Each structure stands twice: as C-alpha cells, then as structure tokens.
Amino acid sequence: MPKRSEEMLVDLWMSLLLVWITCVPCVTMTPIMGPSKSTQTGGSAAVASGPGEGQRLLSRAKRGWVWNQMFVLEEFSGPDPILVGRLHTDLDVGGKNIKYVLAGEGAGTIFAINELTGDIHAMKRLDREEKAEYTLTAQVVNADTDEPLEPPSEFIIKVQDINDNPPQFNEGPYQASVPEMSAVGTPVTRVTATDADDPVYGNSAKLVYSILEGQPYFSVDPNSATIKIALHGMDREMREEYLVVIQAKDMGGHMGGLSGTTTVTVTLTDINDNPPKFSKSLYEFVIPEDLPIGKMGGKVKANDRDIGENAKSTYSIIEGDDQGMFEIITDAQTQEGILRLKKPIDYESKRAYTLKVEATNIRSEPSSGGPFKDTATVKIVVEDADEPPVFFKPVYLLEVNENAPINTVIGTVTARDPDSTGSLVRYFIDRHTDLERQFNINVDDGKITLAKPLDRETDMWHNITVTATEVRNHSQISRAIVAIRVMDINDNAPEFATEYEAFLCENGKPGQVIQTVSAVDKDDPIQGHYFDYRLVPEMLNNPNFTIKNNQDNSISVLAKHDTFRRQKQEMYFLPIIVTDNGNPPMSSTNTLTIRVCGCSKDGIVQSCNVEAYVLPIGLSMGALIAILACIILLLVVLFVTLRRHKNEPLIIKDDEDVRENIIRYDDEGGGEEDTEAFDIATLQNPDGINGYLPRKDIKPDLQFMPRAGQHSGPNGVDVDEFINVRLHEADNDPTAPPYDSIQIYGYEGRGSIAGSLSSLETASSDSDQNYDYLREWGPRFRRLGELYSVGESDRET
C-alpha cells in the first residue's frame, strides 16, 4: 500500500478513537444532565450503551425523555448501518405492547429506528460540509392502536467532522508586483486559503503556509501567508518576473494533514537606478554653410536600461565655442537629441565647432542622490557651399520729393558674394512689386532712379523688391526690400472743406454770424497748415458781408446790415481767397453761396422759396396749393365733358347682324387728313399688324363660336375698339358668308433692290428669262440664282 494511503488510514482510525472517547462519557452521563422538556410523569427514557447503564437510568423515578445531543461520524462507509444511539422509556417494562416512532429531518431516509428496541442507525454516508446537524422527534405509541403514550420530544443528531477537505486558494493564481531593489522583508502580497472542515473541532481547518518554489528570492509567513522579499538587490534589468508556489496544509502542518497549492507571479517594477549612457563619446557631423535655420544638423542618443518615464532624458549644450549658433532639442518619440542650427553659419568665418552635450534623466529617485547624467563631445565641421549674394541691409529706407524730375537718383543698394571666389553681382527690380514701372535700377552699381513723376497725394510710400544675382551662377539670388517715401512739396492750393451754402434771415441783426468756413489742403507740410482768408479785391468794400478770422484756420462770415429782403435779392455769392503758408504759397478762390430766407422770431429758418412774393397778399402756401388743385380738377372735368359730347354712343338696333345695321352719326370725318378716327397705317403697313389675319376668300376651318356681346359703357364708345372687335368676330365666324374679300397686295417691303419678282409683270415664260443677274446681287441671292439658272438638259427632264 502506498505511504499516502497508510497515512490516511491511520488518520481515520485516530479520528474514530477520538470520537469514541468523546461519545462514551456523553452517553453515560446523560441522566445527570437534568430533566427534559417533557411534562409527562408516567415514565422516563434514556440513551444507553449497555444494560448496566440502562438499569442505573431506570432507578431514577419519573424522568421522562432525558438525553442530550447525539453524534455520528461523517464519511463512515462500513458494511452495516452505524449505530447512532438508543432511545428508552420507563414504559418499556415487561411485555408491554409499545413501539418507538421517529420523525423529523432525515427520519426514515437517513436515520432509522428499531420500533422495539429504540436503536437509531444512520443508513447513509453523511457529510458534515453538506449538513452539520439534524433535528428529529421521538415518541412512544401503542403498538396496536398507534395511540401516543407520551408526548413527542426533540433531539439533535450532530455530524462529527473528520479531516476530509484539503485547503483551497479560491482567488489564485495571483499576480503581484514589487519595486526592484526593495529591502529584505518588504511585503509583496498576501494569499488566502480556505478549509471546508470544522474550524472548531480538532485541527482539521488549522492551516500552515510554506513556500515550495521561489527561494531564495521570497519567503512566506506560515500563519498570515504574507509573501516577502528574501534576497537583497533584486534587479529588474537582470530578471523581471518570478514564479512563486505557495502551499497551505491543515492539521497544523503535521503529518497526515491535507494540503493545497497556488502560484504567485511576482513582477519587479522599474525604478530609476540606471543613468543614461551615450553610445559614443565623440560625435562628428558635417553641416553645409547654407543649411537653413531650424534644420537638423545631426542626432545623438543616450541609452537608458530603465523603462518608461525612468528612461526619458533631456539634452542640453553645456560647453562649446558655438556662441549660440546651435541648439539641441529632445525628440519625445525616439528619445534622441536633435542638433539644430540656431544662427546662420559661414564657412569663410569659422569652419569648425566643438560642443559638449549632456543627457539628464527627467525623473530621479530620492535615494539616488540626484539625477543621473552623461556627457559626450560633438564636433561640427562646416562645409563650403555656393551662397547667394548678401545685401548690406535687409531693408532700405529711401526718400524722394514728389514731382522730382525723371532719372533722379533716389538711392543705392549694395550686395556682395560671400564666397571666397567673390563673383560679380547684378541688380534687378522685381516688377511684380513695381507694376507701373515707376523706378529703374542700374544693374551694375545698384543705383535706383526715378522713371515716372511721383505724387505724394496719390501714394505716400512705394515698396519694391530688389534682387541681387551672381554673374556666374544665376540661380543664386537674394532679395532686399526697398521702402521709398515720397516727400511733400507745396503743390496743392487750399480749398473749402465742403461746399458751403449759408442761410441768412431777413430779420437778422448786423454782425450776425452767417457761416463758419474752414479749408483743407492735400499737402502735408512739416510745420503744419496755416491758412489766410480774404475777400477778392472787388468785394472788399461790399455793403453786405464781411469776414472775421477765428485764429483756428477758420473764418466767420458776418452780415453788415438787417435790410436783406427776398423780394429784392434772394441769393448772394461771396468769393473768398484762401492762401496757405507753403513755399511758394498756393491760393484758390472759393465762392460761398448765401440764401436769404424767412425765419421765425427765434431765428429758425422756415422758408427760402419764392413764397416770399405771395406772402404779403395774406395767403399761405397751403392755401395756394388748395387753389391750384381746384383749378386742375375743373380742367379735367371740362375735358371729359367735351370728350363725351363729341363721341356719342353708337345706336344699334339689332345685335344679331351688325352688317345690316345703319349707324348714323352727325360727325363727318376729316378726309385723309383725319387721323383721329382710325389708324389707316395699320391697313397699309403689314409691319403694324400683330398676329395672323385670316383669309376671307375661303371658308374658315374653325368651330362655331357664339358671339360674346360687347357692352360698351353708356357714357362713351371707343369706335376704334368697337370696329376691331366686330371685325374679329366676323373673321372667325364660319357661318358668315364672304360678302367682300378684298386682298391688298400693294405693299412689297422695304429696301429691296431687286424690285418685284412677280410673274404677273412679264409675259415671258420661265424658260425665256435669264436669272444669272441674281448671282450679281450678292451672297443672299446666290442660292436663288442657282435654283432658277438650270441647264437645258435639266429643263427637258
């Protein structure tokens, strides 16, 4: 038999022995446990394991049911049912006809009772982990009539535990992490195992933990199951992951106990315990001198064995003779140091640079004593390149007077070839910046001259771009901006700021200010504007108006008297000369219009119209308008009355047949010169006819349309419209016979040089005429001539 089976068999017998030692005293001592719950006095009962004990129990008078709980061993699997206990009553004496009855949990299925002896047996194998105790009821009844002889009493059968369940880790397998380089004894994690056995009875559920795999790196506390660091200096860069196997054993870890295991995967997390390290101590780069500013010139990288944030570094230039020509930045993705050009470099000025670059960790551990660093040397060699010309100044500011003569030299721009060969330079103006070609430049010396006169009042500034190109390499071009300011000269005369129109009240007072006048000047002198105002010489002694200087470049126009009347003069014109203070001074004559108006007592202008001539009669403007409206209305009524009297309405006796009606009216026509009654041109000129006129010599192919009565107003008849309507009805009436069908062919059109083409005008046939002359009339008649000018063979055919 295997050693493991022998250990389990020994444990089983030891458990049975302990149960026996525990149960026997309980059974034998049951009578002294006190009275039961039964109130019956006719007998007593007891649980006994032998005849001697039963007799001792029966010696106690009137005890009824007297027992405590019974016990049965779990997982018992013998050939016969196991005896749990025996029931006995005081009534069971002699040959009395009684029997024992069992009821309650498991009665008849799990537990069975001998009706005659009261023995209780367990019929099935019990498991304490499924059900730990059973509550049953015992009663004594008459064997023949089943009549109860005593009241029923409850008792409990407890299932006694044995060590039949191993410990289990319900939450495993476990994952844990701990920082690398942690001190010995640092807790990593804690595991927990459970045992389904009874933790109260014996040591079946007492667990002890041990480590089966994972030494010497980790240890476990046997009672709390806390896993701890057991080895100093565990480095993640050497080994990152460990597998630990933990065992839990019951029975306090003694021989015969059951055990269970679980695994714990421990991962060492990174700390910043490694400095960055450059792969080389010296880096060399070759950079062309025409490298644009901000472009990359080289890369350096410091490797770090750490990961994540602990491996990130920043780069900086700590030493060097670059004088701020270079800068280094950190690429966040690749963790490389990017060397970039910060200022332009010149091969002719300096051909090599030496820098010292430092890489520093971003994060640092408190115990590390500061951030980790590493340095490397970077040597930069400048490579010669063909560079474009360089202007002495990137922006030139030049000045020129307006109206300066053509070919005036405005200024000079200068550029040179920075290369050692020193190529000649040619200058040009970018015409996209000088569309009107107002400036020229000398291609050899860069002198800018005036090509067209300039006017400061039109454009004060002109910005042009000048290019410089090498003679031997036209692709090398550089540009400079030239700002040309047009300086002002006094070439514009001052004039009134606006078109003034002054109003003068008839009841004004002498010395009253009629209008304040100011002037503007398009020029912009450095010392500012100062204007002088004066009347023209012939108006100096005028009796009506005068001017006063307001000392602010404006004047006030004053009235000299108060006898202005609109009847006398409605409007006055006052010419004023305005002169500026330029060199030479410029002047202009401006006329101020002054209207005489009627004003209220408060000096508010009310009217400046011709109404002044009517006001003395005593009529207001509203009255004049009403009178004028009445006159116009009377004229309209008179015109309508005369019109009605002239055109009497037509009297039609029978509306069914208009042609048979005789219409009489007294107004005779004026003959051919009378063009008021009917428009004869409509019948003579087909151009005036709108639409299609139906023929009257054939029957119209139309459906009968009943006539719609034409009802004219009783107060007047439009004869022209009446005739046209009746004519249209007659033309479209298929039942009306053609009483007359006169067709007019007198109109042949305008502008035809061919004359009439009608065959009615000649007696000759088509074959006798020659139509070749049609081709001489031009391309419009060429096709017609080809149709008529056919050959003899065509005629015969």
Side-chain angles (χ1 to χ4, degrees):
M1 181 181 293
K3 183 178 180 180
R4 179 65 176 169
S5 301
E6 292 178 358
E7 292 179 356
M8 294 182 64
L9 183 59
V10 171
D11 291 341
L12 180 59
W13 282 109
M14 289 294 293
S15 301
L16 291 175
L17 180 60
L18 291 173
V19 171
W20 178 258
I21 294 173
T22 305
C23 291
V24 170
C26 293
V27 174
T28 56
M29 294 177 65
T30 299
I32 67 173
M33 297 302 293
S36 69
K37 298 178 182 179
S38 175
T39 58
Q40 184 175 344
T41 60
S44 62
V47 178
S49 59
E53 294 172 354
Q55 293 175 358
R56 183 160 58 89
L57 290 172
L58 293 174
S59 63
R60 301 186 62 160
K62 309 300 182 182
R63 294 291 289 176
W65 298 101
V66 181
W67 63 77
N68 289 324
Q69 54 192 2
M70 297 182 181
F71 297 90
V72 60
L73 193 65
E74 72 168 334
E75 303 294 345
F76 182 79
S77 58
D80 298 324
I82 182 174
L83 177 62
V84 179
R86 177 179 296 171
L87 300 179
H88 190 75
T89 179
D90 295 342
L91 301 177
D92 189 5
V93 293
K96 197 169 184 180
N97 191 12
I98 63 172
K99 67 176 181 180
Y100 296 92
V101 177
L102 188 67
E105 295 178 341
T109 56
I110 300 176
F111 302 101
I113 188 170
N114 190 318
E115 295 179 351
L116 300 178
T117 62
D119 294 338
I120 300 175
H121 292 83
M123 308 300 294
K124 294 183 179 180
R125 183 176 179 177
L126 302 178
D127 187 0
R128 189 199 67 84
E129 287 69 38
E130 293 182 2
K131 191 171 179 61
E133 61 181 30
Y134 296 86
T135 302
L136 296 98
T137 303
Q139 192 175 22
V140 178
V141 299
N142 189 295
D144 295 331
T145 62
D146 291 336
E147 182 181 354
L149 302 178
E150 289 184 357
S153 292
E154 286 186 353
F155 66 96
I156 297 174
I157 298 178
K158 286 191 174 182
V159 181
Q160 201 164 24
D161 182 52
I162 65 172
N163 189 21
D164 59 342
N165 291 283
Q168 292 183 352
F169 294 90
N170 297 324
E171 298 179 1
Y174 295 86
Q175 301 285 337
S177 61
V178 64
E180 62 174 334
M181 297 297 178
S182 296
V184 175
T186 302
V188 178
T189 187
R190 181 181 178 183
V191 297
T192 303
T194 58
D195 196 320
D197 292 327
D198 191 356
V200 179
Y201 179 77
N203 294 325
S204 299
K206 185 177 181 180
L207 305 180
V208 175
Y209 298 90
S210 61
I211 184 169
L212 300 182
E213 184 178 339
Q215 298 96 342
Y217 307 105
F218 301 96
S219 63
V220 64
D221 186 281
N223 297 319
S224 64
T226 300
I227 301 175
K228 302 178 180 180
I229 295 292
L231 185 64
H232 177 73
M234 297 178 65
D235 192 1
R236 185 200 64 84
E237 286 73 31
M238 300 297 296
R239 182 178 177 183
E240 186 176 2
E241 193 172 270
Y242 296 84
L243 183 65
V244 181
V245 179
I246 302 297
Q247 174 185 267
K249 189 174 183 181
D250 59 13
M251 297 300 292
H254 295 294
M255 184 181 298
L258 304 179
S259 64
T261 61
T262 187
T263 59
V264 181
T265 302
V266 181
T267 302
L268 297 182
T269 58
D270 184 62
I271 65 171
N272 191 16
D273 58 341
N274 294 279
K277 187 68 177 178
F278 283 102
S279 58
K280 296 186 297 183
S281 60
L282 177 63
Y283 293 85
E284 293 184 353
F285 302 108
V286 177
I287 300 178
E289 64 173 336
D290 58 352
L291 181 70
I293 295 177
K295 293 297 182 180
M296 181 185 67
K299 295 181 181 179
V300 297
K301 185 173 183 181
N303 299 313
D304 196 323
R305 297 177 62 192
D306 296 323
I307 59 175
E309 294 293 328
N310 296 322
K312 292 184 177 181
S313 301
T314 58
Y315 298 86
S316 60
I317 300 175
I318 57 176
E319 294 180 11
D321 58 352
D322 62 317
Q323 299 176 351
M325 308 293 288
F326 301 94
E327 65 178 354
I328 190 168
I329 63 172
T330 304
D331 190 330
Q333 301 296 329
T334 63
Q335 285 299 302
E336 293 177 320
I338 309 299
L339 192 67
R340 300 193 310 183
L341 191 62
K342 192 176 181 181
K343 296 180 180 179
I345 55 177
D346 187 13
Y347 172 83
E348 288 74 22
S349 301
K350 191 175 180 62
R351 301 186 179 185
Y353 298 90
T354 301
L355 311 175
K356 191 173 184 180
V357 179
E358 182 182 71
T360 307
N361 278 152
I362 298 177
R363 296 182 59 181
S364 62
E365 298 295 333
S367 60
S368 62
F372 293 128
K373 303 178 181 179
D374 192 24
T375 59
T377 302
V378 178
K379 186 176 181 181
I380 301 172
V381 177
V382 181
E383 184 181 38
D384 188 23
D386 189 8
E387 300 176 271
V390 178
F391 282 95
F392 285 175
K393 293 189 296 184
V395 178
Y396 289 84
L397 179 61
L398 305 179
E399 294 180 351
V400 62
N401 290 329
E402 63 175 330
N403 297 329
I406 297 175
N407 295 327
T408 299
V409 177
I410 302 174
T412 304
V413 296
T414 306
R416 67 175 183 85
D417 184 10
D419 297 327
S420 57
T421 55
S423 174
L424 295 178
V425 177
R426 294 289 183 265
Y427 303 93
F428 303 94
I429 293 178
D430 186 354
R431 291 305 176 183
H432 292 90
T433 61
D434 184 25
L435 298 177
E436 298 181 5
R437 295 182 175 269
Q438 295 175 309
F439 306 96
N440 291 327
I441 190 170
N442 190 301
V443 296
D444 296 322
D445 57 13
K447 288 184 179 179
I448 300 176
T449 57
L450 195 61
K452 293 181 179 180
L454 302 179
D455 185 8
R456 190 201 67 85
E457 287 70 37
T458 303
D459 287 310
M460 184 182 299
W461 287 94
H462 297 270
N463 297 320
I464 62 175
T465 300
V466 176
T467 61
T469 307
E470 291 184 7
V471 174
R472 64 182 182 183
N473 187 359
H474 297 291
S475 63
Q476 296 297 334
I477 302 175
S478 59
R479 290 173 171 80
I481 297 175
V482 179
I484 301 174
R485 180 181 180 182
V486 182
M487 305 302 293
D488 182 54
I489 64 173
N490 193 27
D491 60 343
N492 291 280
E495 56 187 12
F496 279 176
T498 184
E499 294 184 3
Y500 293 102
E501 185 177 11
F503 298 95
L504 173 63
C505 293
E506 288 180 316
N507 56 355
K509 298 179 181 180
Q512 178 182 354
V513 177
I514 302 172
Q515 180 70 46
T516 299
V517 177
S518 62
V520 294
D521 194 333
K522 295 180 181 179
D523 295 323
D524 187 17
I526 300 177
Q527 65 275 15
H529 289 290
Y530 177 77
F531 301 121
D532 178 63
Y533 301 87
R534 66 181 185 275
L535 298 176
V536 295
E538 57 270 22
M539 295 292 293
L540 289 176
N541 298 320
N542 78 91
N544 299 317
F545 307 101
T546 185
I547 60 175
K548 183 184 72 172
N549 195 336
N550 296 329
Q551 303 301 323
D552 59 352
N553 276 344
S554 67
I555 59 171
S556 296
V557 179
L558 309 177
K560 286 186 176 182
H561 57 83
D562 58 353
T563 59
F564 295 98
R565 295 292 180 268
R566 280 176 289 175
Q567 296 88 341
K568 181 179 179 181
Q569 186 172 346
E570 183 182 4
M571 189 175 301
Y572 295 87
F573 299 97
L574 183 65
I576 300 174
I577 300 174
V578 185
T579 306
D580 61 17
N581 60 336
N583 187 18
M586 303 290 291
S587 63
S588 65
T589 301
N590 301 266
T591 301
L592 176 64
T593 302
I594 303 174
R595 297 175 62 91
V596 181
C597 302
C599 301
S600 63
K601 294 181 180 180
D602 299 330
I604 300 175
V605 177
Q606 291 183 341
S607 175
C608 298
N609 298 328
V610 74
E611 174 193 354
Y613 296 103
V614 187
L615 287 178
I617 304 176
L619 295 178
S620 64
M621 179 62 67
L624 291 176
I625 295 175
I627 294 174
L628 183 62
C630 292
I631 294 174
I632 294 174
L633 181 61
L634 291 175
L635 292 176
V636 172
V637 172
L638 180 62
F639 175 78
V640 173
T641 303
L642 294 175
R643 178 80 175 180
R644 292 179 179 176
H645 178 71
K646 181 179 180 180
N647 298 326
E648 294 293 336
L650 298 176
I651 302 174
I652 302 175
K653 297 181 179 180
D654 189 4
D655 290 340
E656 294 182 358
D657 192 355
V658 180
R659 293 164 303 204
E660 298 179 359
N661 293 333
I662 299 175
I663 301 173
R664 297 180 179 178
Y665 52 92
D666 298 333
D667 190 9
E668 295 184 357
E672 295 179 354
E673 296 180 357
D674 186 5
T675 58
E676 298 294 333
F678 189 77
D679 189 6
I680 306 300
T682 304
L683 300 177
Q684 296 178 348
N685 186 3
D687 293 344
I689 301 175
N690 296 326
Y692 171 76
L693 292 178
R695 296 184 61 178
K696 299 180 181 180
D697 56 343
I698 61 174
K699 183 179 181 180
D701 189 11
L702 298 173
Q703 298 295 331
F704 172 73
M705 294 183 298
R707 295 181 179 178
Q710 180 71 20
H711 301 284
S712 301
N715 297 328
V717 177
D718 191 344
V719 178
D720 185 22
E721 183 180 357
F722 178 83
I723 295 176
N724 287 333
V725 171
R726 293 304 186 188
L727 181 62
H728 177 73
E729 291 177 355
D731 291 342
N732 292 277
D733 188 358
T735 62
Y739 292 94
D740 55 76
S741 59
I742 302 175
Q743 304 297 330
I744 300 173
Y745 297 95
Y747 184 79
E748 294 183 356
R750 303 184 182 93
S752 175
I753 62 175
S756 177
L757 299 179
S758 174
S759 60
L760 300 176
E761 296 180 359
T762 176
S764 61
S765 63
D766 293 341
S767 59
D768 297 335
Q769 294 188 17
N770 185 7
Y771 296 98
D772 293 338
Y773 62 89
L774 293 176
R775 299 181 182 181
E776 300 175 358
W777 291 356
R780 295 185 179 181
F781 296 91
R782 183 175 301 166
R783 180 58 180 168
L784 184 62
E786 292 176 355
L787 294 176
Y788 281 89
S789 299
V790 294
E792 189 67 21
S793 58
D794 295 333
R795 294 192 187 98
E796 295 177 357
T797 303

